[in-house]
């Protein structure tokens, strides 16, 4: 068995960690039974692939590792379960064992089973409870001023979501790009502040990455300036957002966080944007660190890619069709005057707090980007391909390529057109802020980091192309115009994974090259290249790395049709990074395969949150 696993490891089907973990459990169990050893390997491997657990129901009786020519026949469910139950390293839910097997056939690493349990309990308690009595007359007056109902809408879901966030200690406001999530939450904060009679309210704004935090901060600041509220209320809405790790007090030299259940955050309200990027472990720690009396408001698009680490928390929260309970529906109707959908007799507390915004304000009804994103989201391959083939315009274009390794040859014109403006800004001696803003208007997004058509290869090709067009002088590693992406957090330098800077001569340093990073406050930070944490050139980046960002124009390079990362969520995320134009490069077969392949992450969170088999 071990020789077989080592062979799988050499073919990169398993990691060193997977095999060593299986060896450890075999020693602890005093058994090398193949069903136990392989179950341990798969649980470790699937967790590293983003799953919270493995579903034995889906794997039992299947032939695994066929694609690498080393097939392994999984046991039938009853036999596999019996072997695992007989082992000393596998426990029932609640047992303190390395592996936990629940009654639904879900096999977890203990730590991830515990995360699910803690997060479920905390969120359900928050969803079921309501805040102390509010001044309803004042709330209704505030609503009438902040949410003048558009006559074209049958139901103002932004207003409904805002009232839910005021009435509950937990609320999810989900929706696609341009549905008004951040403008809604700015009004929520105004509603809450108008309830306090001038007493201070401790409000926190946070997001998973520095880029997403800066965008949240900018969006809330912009929305706040437009609110019809008193100057004191406007001044009390925070003007700074932080990353979640910084908020929780993460330290590079310690595994623990400063804030936790026994030392909670000093907050009354916490708003978290881009919640789809938050993994199970981080979300659990965040909720634990928030005082029981505080409100938690999650914003995000549940159709986007899930977190890089294990879990799909926002997707699980929004997975069931939200339906209001009868008592809560009646209260919302009374406060808002809106014609709400009928209540559900089987509605749970979670159904009262998950709000999905429907009206799109960024993409109009005739928007090609909006229509393509919706077709992809719904898995409608026919409509999505029809849009690409019949509506070529500045908004939607498609370049089929016969080989991904040569895609840069077909895209040379698009790449030069996209990057020329920011490089000409440099030659025109524009300010660093103007150069960075010009660079953010266009980006190449890739399905993969490595391989043909991957971000690493494309960055090399793009650099060579720009040099041959005399737009850059890349004879050395560092040159004016080189864009870099930070890939490792550096708390002392206040640089975080996902931050992007541009290399420019710095007059204040005798013209030496410095990497310029825009800050959320609108200023620029200048750092010597030798001081940067781990980084890479970023003309092209993966779709995963682009989450939390927006660009005017996006060039999206697809992967191979058989690639497991080519899913509708990846396509949707890449498409919706663009505001005005999307150029898709790849074969029709790859596009079709991606639209038809939905990201599925094994997890028990959705069932537990919504009362189905928890």
């Amino acid at each position: 068995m071990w020789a077989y696993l080592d062979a799988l490891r050499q073919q990169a089907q398993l990691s060193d960690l997977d095999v060593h973990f299986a060896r450890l459990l075999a020693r602890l169990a005093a058994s090398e039974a193949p069903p136990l050893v392989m179950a341990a390997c798969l649980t470790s491997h699937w967790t590293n692939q983003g799953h919270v657990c493995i579903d034995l129901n889906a794997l039992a009786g299947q032939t695994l590792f066929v694609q690498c020519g080393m097939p392994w026949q999984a046991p039938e469910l009853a036999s596999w379960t019996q072997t695992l139950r007989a082992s000393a390293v596998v426990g029932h839910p609640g047992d303190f064992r390395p592996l936990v097997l629940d009654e639904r056939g879900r096999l977890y690493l203990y730590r991830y089973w515990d995360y699910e349990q803690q997060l479920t309990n905390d969120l359900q308690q928050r969803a079921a409870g309501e805040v102390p009595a509010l001044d309803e007359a004042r709330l209704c007056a505030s609503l009438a001023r902040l949410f003048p109902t558009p006559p074209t809408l049958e139901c103002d879901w932004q207003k409904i979501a805002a009232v839910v966030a005021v009435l509950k200690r937990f609320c999810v406001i989900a929706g696609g790009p341009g549905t008004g999530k951040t403008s809604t939450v700015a009004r929520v904060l105004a509603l809450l502040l108008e309830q306090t009679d001038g007493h201070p309210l401790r409000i926190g704004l946070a997001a998973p990455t520095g880029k997403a935090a800066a965008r949240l901060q900018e969006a809330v600041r912009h929305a706040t300036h437009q609110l019809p509220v008193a100057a004191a209320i406007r001044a009390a809405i925070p003007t700074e957002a932080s990353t979640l790790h910084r908020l929780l007090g993460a330290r590079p030299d310690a595994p623990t966080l400063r804030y936790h259940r026994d030392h909670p955050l000093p907050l009354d309200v916490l708003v978290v944007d881009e919640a789809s990027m938050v993994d199970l472990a981080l979300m659990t720690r965040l909720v634990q660190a928030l005082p029981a009396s505080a409100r938690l408001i999650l914003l995000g698009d549940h159709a986007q890619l899930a977190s890089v680490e294990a879990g799909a928390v926002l997707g699980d929260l929004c997975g069931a069709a939200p339906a209001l309970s009868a008592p809560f529906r009646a209260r919302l109707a009374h406060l808002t005057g809106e014609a709400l959908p009928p209540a559900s007799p089987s509605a749970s507390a979670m159904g009262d707090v998950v709000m999905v915004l429907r009206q799109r304000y960024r993409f109009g009804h005739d928007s090609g980007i909006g229509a393509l994103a919706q077709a992809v989201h719904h898995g409608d391959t026919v409509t999505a391909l029809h849009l690409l083939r019949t509506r070529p315009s500045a908004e939607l274009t498609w370049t089929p390529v016969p080989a991904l390794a040569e895609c840069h040859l077909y895209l040379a014109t698009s790449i030069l057109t996209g990057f020329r403006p920011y490089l000409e800004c440099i030659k025109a001696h524009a300010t660093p802020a103007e150069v960075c803003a010009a660079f953010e208007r266009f980006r190449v997004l890739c399905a993969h980091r490595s391989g043909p058509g991957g971000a690493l290869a494309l960055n090399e090709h793009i650099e060579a192309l720009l040099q041959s067009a005399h737009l850059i002088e890349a004879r050395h590693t560092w040159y004016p115009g080189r864009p870099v992406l930070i890939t490792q957090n550096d708390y002392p330098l206040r640089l975080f994974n996902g931050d992007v800077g541009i290399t420019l001569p710095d007059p204040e340093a005798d013209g030496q090259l410095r990497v310029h990073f825009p800050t959320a406050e609108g200023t620029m930070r200048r750092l010597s290249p030798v001081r940067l944490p781990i980084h890479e050139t970023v003309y092209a980046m993966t779709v995963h790395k682009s989450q939390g960002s927006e660009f005017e124009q996006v060039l999206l390079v697809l992967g191979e049709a058989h690639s497991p990362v080519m899913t509708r969520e990846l396509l949707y995320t890449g498409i919706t990074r663009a505001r005005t134009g999307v150029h898709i490069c790849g074969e029709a077969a790859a596009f079709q395969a991606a639209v038809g392949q939905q990201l599925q992450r094994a997890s028990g969170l959705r069932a537990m949150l919504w009362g189905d088999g928890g």
Side-chain angles (χ1 to χ4, degrees), residues 2 10 66 127 145 193 205 217 233 331 349 456 509 562 595 613:
W2 300 115
Q10 291 170 8
V66 176
R145 179 169 22 90
L193 288 164
L205 304 177
Q217 182 172 304
I233 298 295
R331 190 172 185 196
L456 294 179
H562 62 271
V595 177

Side-chain angles (χ1 to χ4, degrees), residues 73-233:
Q73 183 68 36
E76 295 300 324
L77 181 62
S79 172
W80 205 355
T81 301
Q82 183 178 11
T83 301
L84 295 177
R85 291 284 187 211
S87 171
V89 297
V90 180
H92 292 273
D95 293 340
F96 188 61
R97 303 283 179 84
L99 297 176
V100 174
L101 178 59
D102 71 10
E103 300 307 317
R104 291 294 191 90
R106 294 182 289 243
L107 184 66
Y108 296 83
L109 298 176
Y110 175 85
R111 182 161 52 117
Y112 285 91
W113 173 84
D114 192 48
Y115 284 147
E116 275 196 357
Q117 297 297 314
Q118 293 189 51
L119 184 59
T120 297
N121 292 338
D122 287 342
L123 292 184
Q124 286 181 336
Q125 287 179 17
R126 287 182 179 276
E130 293 191 17
V131 296
L134 297 165
D135 185 335
E136 292 195 359
R138 180 179 298 178
L139 178 60
C140 290
S142 298
L143 287 171
R145 179 169 22 90
L146 290 167
F147 292 91
T149 305
T152 57
L153 295 181
E154 295 182 3
C155 185
D156 189 345
W157 284 103
Q158 288 190 6
K159 183 197 289 189
I160 303 299
V163 175
V164 171
V166 170
L167 295 178
K168 295 285 190 177
R169 289 195 174 92
F170 174 54
C171 178
V172 177
I173 303 178
T179 51
K181 297 184 291 292
T182 47
S183 63
T184 299
V185 86
R187 296 182 218 180
V188 169
L189 299 180
L191 291 171
L192 293 172
L193 288 164
E194 290 183 344
Q195 285 284 321
T196 65
D197 288 321
H199 297 297
L201 195 62
R202 300 170 300 176
I203 302 171
L205 304 177
T209 66
K211 189 73 171 180
R215 278 192 56 218
L216 171 63
Q217 182 172 304
E218 180 183 355
V220 170
R221 181 184 292 141
H222 176 74
T224 299
H225 286 321
Q226 300 178 337
L227 293 178
V229 296
I233 298 295

Side-chain angles (χ1 to χ4, degrees), residues 213-451:
R215 278 192 56 218
L216 171 63
Q217 182 172 304
E218 180 183 355
V220 170
R221 181 184 292 141
H222 176 74
T224 299
H225 286 321
Q226 300 178 337
L227 293 178
V229 296
I233 298 295
R234 190 176 291 112
I237 295 177
T239 58
E240 182 178 349
S242 72
T243 64
L244 290 175
H245 286 92
R246 182 181 174 192
L247 175 77
L248 292 170
R251 294 170 292 181
D253 57 345
T256 57
L257 300 171
R258 180 183 179 190
Y259 294 103
H260 44 78
R261 198 183 297 278
D262 297 326
H263 183 214
L265 289 160
L267 292 175
D268 300 307
V269 181
L270 175 61
V271 177
V272 178
D273 196 14
E274 297 291 350
S276 64
M277 300 170 65
V278 185
D279 60 86
L280 175 65
L282 182 57
M283 186 68 80
T284 302
R285 292 178 176 135
L286 176 69
V287 175
Q288 287 177 343
L290 198 62
S293 59
R295 289 177 173 85
L296 173 62
I297 304 171
L298 301 181
L299 310 178
D301 185 351
H302 56 294
Q304 282 188 189
L305 281 168
S307 56
V308 175
E309 303 298 330
V313 177
L314 187 66
D316 287 336
L317 280 166
C318 302
L324 296 169
S325 63
F328 195 61
R329 177 195 178 280
R331 190 172 185 196
L332 287 177
H334 167 70
L335 290 171
T336 65
E338 295 291 326
L340 294 165
S344 170
S346 60
S348 65
M350 202 59 60
D352 286 339
V353 299
V354 177
M355 298 289 113
V356 179
L357 304 183
R358 297 160 171 80
Q359 179 68 26
R360 294 178 180 271
Y361 299 94
R362 183 195 303 175
F363 302 128
H365 294 295
D366 59 345
S367 166
I369 296 176
L372 181 62
Q374 285 303 295
V376 169
H377 171 49
H378 294 296
D380 187 348
T381 307
V382 174
T383 299
L385 276 175
H386 179 74
L387 287 167
L388 286 178
R389 286 168 169 162
T390 62
R391 292 184 59 172
S393 64
E395 191 179 17
L396 281 184
T397 53
W398 178 30
T399 300
V401 296
L404 279 176
E406 300 175 354
C407 65
H408 61 284
L409 301 176
Y410 296 84
L411 301 174
T413 300
S414 297
I415 290 169
L416 290 173
T417 302
F419 287 123
R420 189 185 299 275
Y422 103 88
L423 293 169
E424 289 181 343
C425 279
I426 297 173
K427 293 183 177 181
H429 304 291
T431 66
E434 291 170 335
V435 173
C436 289
F439 179 70
E440 289 300 304
R441 295 190 188 113
F442 173 75
R443 194 63 47 85
V444 180
L445 302 183
C446 307
H448 298 91
R449 171 176 166 78
S450 305

Side-chain angles (χ1 to χ4, degrees), residues 571-590:
L571 275 185
Y572 175 90
T573 303
I575 291 166
T576 55
R577 296 313 88 202
R579 286 189 287 263
T580 61
V582 174
H583 181 175
I584 294 178
C585 172
E587 293 182 297

